[in-house]
Amino acid sequence: MTAVTKIFHDRLQVILDNHVAEVRLDHAERHNCMDVAMIDALLEAQVWLAERVGVRAVVLLGEGESFCSGLDVAAVVSTPERIAWLLQPDATGMTPAQRLALGWRDVGGPVVAALHGHVFGAGLQMALAADIRIVHPEASLALPEIEWGLVADMGVSVSGAALRQDVIHDMMLTGRHLSGEEAVILGLASRLDEDPREGGRELAQSLALRSPRAVAAARRLRREAPAMSERECLERESGLQRNLIGGPEQREATRARLEGRRPRLA
């Protein structure tokens, strides 16, 4: 895959190389807050990536001192038509605000969020929708919408469904801040890393070497299982496995493992 770099609204840079998409929030002087331009950039980048063939992993990261300090409330509130648009459901029942987070599920591969500095509000909700979250021990995570008389509404009822509900409720009701270390202990983040951006890149690169069909099946099972009965879960699990075993990617993964080399993927 030929390396491609694309810039969206001077707020976001996407580097697509060797089947890995690195999505860089690039408004460092404002801690990558979500102003109108950043919102448009994120939504357009999602569509652009979803249309690319061969994306096997995505890493979300922020330039500068923070991942994302959340919604630029003053800027967005000053444009009432933008607020109405953000909260207007589309044909799928999802609002643009919710798509900012949940839309990353449709970009073609697992999403890794590399978190450092401020990870507030909209930034944390976007991260919660990622498949894996790598966080700096001293990062600060919060859902402070309650302090503005608002509720977290970027799909956290979906992305947070598998997380500890008492922890999510505590954060939503109090707006309190968690360190990265505490977030891992409480299950909001996957692992600690002193350099989460580099750790995220390395993880995304390793995920891109896995069988795309097996990765897609694992992500599908994880997404669908919470709404299923135990019997339905078991049936889905075995059905997905039957579709993988003996297939070309599974056979190549086995050969590569036995021969101590990287799999040769199409």
Side-chain angles (χ1 to χ4, degrees):
M1 174 180 283
T2 303
V4 177
T5 299
K6 189 169 178 63
I7 296 173
F8 297 85
H9 296 271
D10 293 323
R11 288 289 190 270
L12 192 73
Q13 183 178 171
V14 178
I15 302 171
L16 182 55
D17 187 21
N18 201 24
H19 303 285
V20 174
E22 184 172 310
V23 180
R24 299 178 181 174
L25 282 67
D26 195 6
H27 192 32
E29 63 272 21
R30 295 292 307 280
H31 291 269
N32 298 315
C33 66
M34 287 194 193
D35 59 7
V36 171
M38 179 68 83
I39 289 169
D40 289 341
L42 288 163
L43 293 173
E44 290 178 23
Q46 289 176 356
V47 173
W48 185 80
L49 280 172
E51 293 173 346
R52 306 276 79 77
V53 176
V55 177
R56 295 178 184 162
V58 176
V59 56
L60 302 175
L61 55 86
E63 295 286 14
E65 298 179 1
S66 297
F67 173 70
C68 177
S69 59
L71 187 69
D72 186 342
V73 176
V76 176
V77 168
S78 66
T79 55
E81 67 278 5
R82 175 59 65 140
I83 295 178
W85 172 77
L86 279 170
L87 300 178
Q88 181 62 43
D90 60 18
T92 69
M94 189 181 299
T95 68
Q98 292 162 341
R99 193 167 296 282
L100 283 167
L102 301 180
W104 296 105
R105 303 182 305 179
D106 303 320
V107 297
V111 178
V112 179
L115 310 178
H116 75 292
H118 298 167
V119 189
F120 299 158
L124 178 55
Q125 291 185 78
M126 184 167 64
L128 290 177
D131 295 272
I132 301 171
R133 290 169 291 283
I134 299 178
V135 62
H136 190 280
E138 297 178 3
S140 181
L141 289 72
L143 293 173
E145 286 83 355
I146 193 72
E147 297 173 1
W148 297 83
L150 300 171
V151 65
D153 68 336
M154 284 176 52
V156 69
S157 56
V158 173
S159 62
L163 302 175
R164 276 185 52 179
Q165 293 306 290
D166 60 325
V167 174
I168 295 293
H169 290 161
D170 183 5
M171 297 183 73
M172 290 179 67
L173 294 174
T174 67
R176 80 181 186 93
H177 293 219
L178 306 180
S179 68
E181 187 170 6
E182 188 176 4
V184 170
I185 293 171
L186 295 176
L188 264 67
S190 313
R191 62 179 79 166
L192 293 172
D193 198 308
E194 291 290 339
D195 188 348
R197 286 179 288 194
E198 186 57 32
R201 292 186 184 103
E202 293 175 357
L203 177 56
Q205 290 163 4
S206 70
L207 292 172
L209 297 175
R210 304 299 184 187
S211 160
R213 293 187 70 235
V215 169
R219 296 181 78 215
R220 178 180 176 184
L221 181 62
R222 184 179 65 85
R223 187 186 301 185
E224 294 178 351
M228 292 180 174
S229 67
E230 180 175 298
R231 178 171 180 170
E232 289 171 332
C233 284
L234 297 175
E235 289 175 348
R236 177 75 78 206
E237 185 179 291
S238 60
L240 290 169
Q241 190 75 304
R242 284 194 299 271
N243 288 332
L244 294 172
I245 197 163
E249 287 185 11
Q250 192 271 319
R251 294 198 303 271
E252 170 58 16
T254 300
R255 284 193 295 267
R257 183 75 175 174
L258 293 175
E259 295 170 9
R261 58 171 174 81
R262 290 184 173 185
R264 302 185 185 100
L265 300 171

